[in-house]
Amino acid sequence: MKGSLKFLAIGALTLMLGACSGGEKQEVLDTGRVYKVGTTVEYPPFESWENGEIVGYDVDVIDAVAKKIGIKYEWKDMNFDGLISALQFKKIDIVIAGISSTPEREKVVNFSIPYYKSKTAYIMNKNNPITMEELEGKSFGVDLGTSYETTARSIEGAEVTPFSSTAGTLLALKSQKVDCILVGEAVASEYVRNNPELEIFGYGEGEECSIAFNKDDIALQESFNKALKELEADGTLEKFQAKFGF
């Protein structure tokens, strides 16, 4: 997914760490609290709007975990590049948005064990075909703050344009303003299914998607990890993935 994976403004957040951490560690799960779950509802089949409700794989995962550990929650739809900052400053309590755990991110938030692994898909417009051997010097559209931005910038001579919304990234490719966009494989399949002029022409190394928590919410992180292990062991995660065509 977006990755799940995603590169955020970690340097700036690290500088602010002292101002927003160091609170009381929550080592006992508070089941009377309504937890705010931050996400970005632009990435079907992970998150999307349907009849005024958020649906998708990530939604099913959160709901299954919440039932196992006995908590209530509510969704907060936000721009992806603001999720980690909001979590750090406790405007939200949980982030699920295809985010991968990296050493830089681990400086400012905690992560669960992985709940999904996604390859990176390369998508082109059929009217402007390219191959994986022709990436050098091409133009790339990516969602701002994602790990796909980092991947694109590692390509020699790449011209990378970050967009603040998935709609902007997709439109840039459809209108041939960029040669290629990078997204997670499940999201890419949805894009291609709904936009016949687009095509996946290759895959790159993927990333493991995890759920993020504020540094102070120790019990919440531990409870999620236990529940995710159980959902993996009993086949629930695999069932959810099959439901959404992974």
Side-chain angles (χ1 to χ4, degrees):
M1 174 182 170
K2 38 248 182 236
S4 58
L5 39 163
K6 306 179 177 178
F7 176 78
L8 305 178
I10 294 299
L13 290 175
T14 303
L15 292 175
M16 297 186 290
L17 182 57
C20 54
S21 65
E24 183 179 352
K25 302 295 184 183
Q26 300 296 318
E27 298 182 352
V28 177
L29 186 65
D30 184 357
T31 55
R33 174 175 162 193
V34 178
Y35 290 88
K36 297 180 178 64
V37 182
T39 192
T40 303
V41 191
E42 291 189 333
Y43 297 96
F46 290 89
E47 302 94 5
S48 63
W49 289 105
E50 184 177 291
N51 299 322
E53 294 186 358
I54 302 174
V55 298
Y57 175 67
D58 284 354
V59 177
D60 284 5
V61 170
I62 288 292
D63 192 57
V65 171
K67 288 176 180 176
K68 269 190 172 291
I69 66 177
I71 64 168
K72 296 180 181 179
Y73 66 93
E74 61 185 18
W75 290 99
K76 298 293 181 183
D77 182 20
M78 307 174 64
N79 287 338
F80 180 81
D81 59 339
L83 286 170
I84 293 295
S85 177
L87 182 61
Q88 190 182 3
F89 283 94
K90 300 186 178 181
K91 295 179 180 178
I92 53 178
D93 306 300
I94 300 165
V95 168
I96 186 166
I99 293 179
S100 59
S101 173
T102 67
E104 292 78 13
R105 292 173 185 158
E106 288 172 0
K107 293 176 183 178
V108 293
V109 297
N110 287 337
F111 286 92
S112 72
I113 61 173
Y115 68 96
Y116 178 68
K117 184 169 183 178
S118 173
K119 294 179 182 177
T120 299
Y122 291 71
I123 308 178
M124 69 179 182
N125 190 311
K126 292 178 182 178
N127 296 311
N128 179 31
I130 59 174
T131 68
M132 292 295 286
E133 291 71 36
E134 299 172 330
L135 296 179
E136 186 175 318
K138 297 298 184 181
S139 58
F140 296 83
V142 292
D143 287 5
L144 179 66
T146 65
S147 61
Y148 307 120
E149 181 178 351
T150 306
T151 299
R153 293 191 186 281
S154 71
I155 298 170
E156 187 172 350
E159 179 184 335
V160 181
T161 303
F163 294 89
S164 60
S165 72
T166 298
T169 305
L170 187 59
L171 181 60
L173 183 61
K174 289 168 64 72
S175 60
Q176 299 184 55
K177 292 181 179 178
V178 296
D179 298 313
C180 171
I181 64 173
L182 276 61
V183 295
E185 58 180 323
V187 175
S189 296
E190 284 288 311
Y191 285 178
V192 170
R193 185 172 65 85
N194 294 316
N195 299 276
E197 73 273 32
L198 305 184
E199 181 178 315
I200 300 170
F201 66 93
Y203 292 95
E205 185 176 347
E207 60 190 4
E208 292 181 323
C209 301
S210 298
I211 301 167
F213 313 91
N214 185 276
K215 284 283 189 181
D216 291 336
D217 278 326
I218 306 300
L220 185 62
Q221 177 195 25
E222 292 175 348
S223 297
F224 263 71
N225 281 342
K226 182 176 184 294
L228 287 172
K229 288 177 182 178
E230 293 172 356
L231 293 171
E232 176 70 28
D234 68 14
T236 299
L237 293 184
E238 185 177 2
K239 184 190 302 181
F240 289 163
Q241 291 163 19
K243 172 183 175 180
F244 293 102
F246 292 4

